[in-house]
Amino acid sequence: MGSSQADWNSNDEFFKFTRGRFIIDEVENLRKREIRFDLNRLASVAADSVGAAQCISIKKYPDGMFNKAFLMSMDDGREVVAKVPNPNAGIPHFTTASEVATMDFARKVLDTPAPRVYSWNSQAKFHPVGAEFIIMDKTEGVPLSQVWGTMKLPQKLQVLLALTRLQKQWLSVSFSHYGSLYYAGDVQPPAGNYYTKDGKTVKDSEFAIGPATGRDWFDAGRSILDIERGPWASLTQYLQAVGTREMKAIQSIKPPKQIALFCGPKLYRPDREKKLTALAWYRQIVDALIPKETGITNPCLWHNDLHDDNIFVDPHNPEKITGIIDWQSCHVSPLFNHNPDPAFLDWDGLEPETLDLAPRPKLSGLSPEERSAAVREYTVQNMFIGWRKLMHAKNADLYRVVEFRKTAAYGLIFLAHRMFEYGEAHFQSLLVDLKNTWADLPTVTSDVPFPFDFSEVDFERIKLDSDSAVAGTELVTEVKERMGDLWPDKGFIEHERYDDCKAALHEVKDQILEQLAETEEEKAEYEHYWPFE
């Protein structure tokens, strides 16, 4: 660092979360997104990694929920991105080590344009920077978010086709184990570690499967659990480990505040014992829930967060994808556990019943605002159906995932993964319904009876719980629609909307109390469950 060089460490905003405010547990949410380290040293490491004399400029990108990222410009004109994980990003060492190996594997084996890494460290205690970090290429092009709104329909379809081709490449590789990907030197490779590409077994000495780094293994405090984190040689072992993880979380961690559904006396109340009971039932029947088609149960590596800021395109030729970023926590999971759809398609309606395009909306008699909304919904829906058509034609296994996700078996597996946070009421309701279709499950033979004997009292209690939970989720949906862009998704809101958001939530709370609370005791209970400060 030259004598006239700025002291990057003196800028407090580089180390704090500055993108907005939190409406839930703000002090704690800001704390776990603040990290102190030697940015001067990191700039020096970055310059050395690309053969520059020094770094002359650092700009911080808008904060992510789990990382800090900086654009570092060198004296020779080179630019790199430095990424530093926050304390909430995942398990120390494993999260960074896996991200680096995954990006390398994506480029070398999956033929996917992931960033090239110049330098990295996953052992914060043993490095002068004092933090884990990754120094990598600045991805060419612009985020898809900058151009998607102005792209013509044929260009948008070309982007979907390009993504379909990328996913086909991801589908061409499966692994011997479930977990996450690493360099072989960073984990103890399991016995029989290999991957299969286009049907051929590859025993690569460079890469190995190690402990899982998916978000569900550390979100909501799970990182402190003393549990088995893989890798697992069989799907049953993996799904049973998920059940064990959730049981230990329920038994030993304070539950997070619930914003997926509002809770209280006339709504559902989260129940620890019901959660544990649901997981015990899950562990008893998990083998029967596993689909037979190996194409959707094979261990696959996937990028599950394809939103429009993680996909980069050529600004002059926007149908060409130039990069996919943010591979943190990408993991090797059964294909049916991965998200088949890119988030930027933004379709939150029901799964289409057919692949027929939706009819043009009738616009006569509508106000300009209603026309605009109807045209937007028609466009978004048909773009999503177009995506589904491509998937059906090009990636049959991925389309089978879509079909499996409509079943009760998948619903039960999905809810078990997040039982610590929510889902026990819906789980128990789905399980009751499963009795009628138990014999149709592909792995159940005719001599295996449904293993649970529910009484009429059980049926009534489970239905009441389910109806109450549905009412709680519907109330959240209603409030979300009413608040529009003031709704604090994941408890977060931008600075300029914070005061308006707080005022709107206060109004909502008063209305809920007036509508539902009949006594002081009930009012106090709604206050207790109200998630927002």
Side-chain angles (χ1 to χ4, degrees):
M1 192 170 76
S3 56
S4 62
Q5 189 67 45
D7 177 14
W8 313 115
N9 291 338
S10 64
N11 186 342
D12 217 33
E13 294 207 342
F14 280 149
F15 308 100
K16 293 187 170 183
F17 183 90
T18 56
R19 196 175 106 211
R21 302 278 306 267
F22 289 91
I23 305 288
I24 300 172
D25 294 336
E26 182 164 55
V27 171
E28 173 61 12
N29 270 306
L30 291 175
R31 183 198 64 76
K32 62 190 184 186
R33 290 172 174 84
E34 178 176 342
I35 181 165
R36 298 284 166 169
F37 56 94
D38 191 336
L39 190 54
N40 296 333
R41 185 64 69 102
L42 184 62
S44 177
V45 170
D48 290 345
S49 74
V50 292
Q54 66 177 22
C55 170
I56 58 170
S57 165
I58 297 180
K59 292 177 183 169
K60 183 185 173 192
Y61 286 104
D63 282 285
M65 284 293 161
F66 300 98
N67 302 276
K68 308 257 177 284
F70 306 91
L71 178 63
M72 295 187 167
S73 303
M74 305 301 157
D75 58 340
D76 61 1
R78 296 280 296 274
E79 290 181 317
V80 297
V81 172
K83 182 175 181 177
V84 177
N86 292 331
N88 69 331
I91 310 294
H93 165 62
F94 293 103
T95 302
T96 297
S98 180
E99 182 177 5
V100 171
T102 299
M103 287 193 289
D104 199 14
F105 189 90
R107 280 198 355 273
K108 288 178 178 172
V109 181
L110 302 179
D111 198 21
T112 296
R116 183 181 303 276
V117 173
Y118 297 114
S119 181
W120 63 284
N121 167 56
S122 65
Q123 304 284 355
K125 284 189 287 191
F126 305 113
H127 196 285
V129 167
E132 298 182 32
F133 62 81
I134 303 173
I135 310 290
M136 56 190 148
D137 268 335
K138 180 192 176 192
T139 301
E140 289 182 17
V142 297
L144 184 61
S145 58
Q146 290 185 17
V147 295
W148 182 255
T150 56
M151 287 170 67
K152 302 280 191 291
L153 181 61
Q155 292 177 311
K156 289 183 174 182
L157 291 173
Q158 285 300 316
V159 170
L160 297 188
L161 194 57
L163 275 178
T164 300
R165 285 194 290 266
L166 282 178
Q167 290 185 332
K168 193 174 184 68
Q169 287 155 207
W170 304 347
L171 286 165
S172 72
V173 175
S174 65
F175 295 83
S176 57
H177 292 71
Y178 302 87
S180 286
L181 194 61
Y182 299 84
Y183 290 125
D186 289 316
V187 291
Q188 180 65 45
N193 173 71
Y194 65 87
Y195 64 86
T196 303
K197 182 168 172 59
D198 296 323
K200 293 177 184 169
T201 298
V202 181
K203 293 189 175 173
D204 191 324
S205 59
E206 187 176 9
F207 299 102
I209 304 296
T213 61
R215 297 249 181 256
D216 57 327
W217 290 90
F218 59 85
D219 274 355
R222 290 180 183 84
S223 58
I224 66 166
L225 296 173
D226 181 16
I227 50 172
E228 177 201 358
R229 298 178 185 273
W232 302 274
S234 81
L235 184 49
T236 295
Q237 289 173 354
Y238 164 70
L239 293 176
Q240 287 286 9
V242 167
T244 302
R245 177 194 77 203
E246 295 301 280
M247 289 184 101
K248 288 201 174 178
I250 292 160
Q251 290 165 339
S252 57
I253 308 175
K254 182 185 174 187
K257 288 183 178 174
Q258 183 58 263
I259 60 170
L261 76 164
F262 289 140
C263 304
K266 294 181 180 65
L267 303 170
Y268 185 69
R269 300 173 175 101
D271 188 287
R272 183 174 177 272
E273 291 310 314
K274 288 174 184 174
K275 287 177 185 288
L276 293 172
T277 299
L279 286 169
W281 291 346
Y282 161 79
R283 299 187 69 186
Q284 199 172 333
I285 61 163
V286 69
D287 279 342
L289 303 177
I290 295 172
K292 266 195 166 171
E293 306 102 308
T294 56
I296 69 172
T297 60
N298 279 337
C300 291
L301 181 65
W302 209 254
H303 195 302
N304 282 296
D305 195 17
L306 293 174
H307 63 67
D308 52 9
D309 283 326
N310 282 343
I311 300 169
F312 280 65
V313 296
D314 182 340
H316 308 295
N317 181 19
E319 58 261 43
K320 182 188 176 191
I321 294 175
T322 57
I324 307 279
I325 67 165
D326 194 6
W327 293 81
Q328 187 179 75
S329 301
C330 289
H331 51 283
V332 177
S333 224
L335 183 61
F336 67 72
N337 252 16
H338 291 308
N339 188 356
D341 304 314
F344 69 83
L345 288 177
D346 199 26
W347 175 246
D348 57 4
L350 296 173
E351 179 66 35
E353 290 185 14
T354 71
L355 294 181
D356 298 331
L357 293 176
R360 286 182 177 275
K362 293 183 173 62
L363 301 177
S364 60
L366 299 181
S367 69
E369 293 81 10
E370 288 169 334
R371 281 185 173 207
S372 175
V375 169
R376 184 187 180 281
E377 182 173 356
Y378 163 76
T379 307
V380 170
Q381 184 174 6
N382 277 339
M383 187 61 61
F384 186 76
I385 292 171
W387 166 253
R388 280 277 186 269
K389 281 175 173 281
L390 277 173
M391 187 191 295
H392 185 258
K394 307 280 187 185
N395 289 334
D397 280 337
L398 204 55
Y399 194 78
R400 287 188 193 100
V401 167
V402 171
E403 294 293 305
F404 178 57
R405 284 182 165 223
K406 297 174 185 175
T407 67
Y410 172 75
L412 290 163
I413 292 172
F414 171 79
L415 290 166
H417 274 68
R418 292 289 187 175
M419 194 67 72
F420 171 49
E421 286 117 321
Y422 56 78
E424 69 272 17
H426 192 38
F427 182 98
Q428 295 195 13
S429 176
L430 271 181
L431 190 65
V432 165
D433 293 343
L434 188 69
K435 182 175 184 179
N436 299 325
T437 55
W438 175 256
D440 300 332
L441 291 174
T443 51
V444 171
T445 54
S446 57
D447 59 333
V448 178
F450 185 66
F452 309 108
D453 186 20
F454 294 114
S455 68
E456 279 304 316
V457 174
D458 292 330
F459 281 132
E460 286 178 25
R461 176 188 58 76
I462 288 170
K463 184 177 188 317
L464 184 63
D465 283 349
S466 175
D467 289 348
S468 302
V470 168
T473 56
E474 286 176 347
L475 189 53
V476 170
T477 303
E478 190 184 309
V479 170
K480 270 185 180 178
E481 287 173 0
R482 203 161 72 211
M483 290 183 64
D485 59 9
L486 288 179
W487 173 257
D489 192 38
K490 300 186 179 81
F492 166 83
I493 195 79
E494 295 84 358
H495 288 287
E496 63 272 17
R497 292 183 183 154
Y498 179 79
D499 290 337
D500 290 341
C501 172
K502 289 279 278 191
L505 284 169
H506 186 72
E507 191 179 317
V508 164
K509 181 181 170 186
D510 286 347
Q511 288 168 353
I512 288 175
L513 291 176
E514 188 179 334
Q515 184 184 338
L516 296 176
E518 294 180 14
T519 65
E520 285 302 311
E521 289 77 12
E522 287 190 352
K523 183 179 177 184
E525 194 172 345
Y526 281 115
E527 294 264 13
H528 166 73
Y529 281 118
W530 183 247
F532 306 108
E533 292 162 349

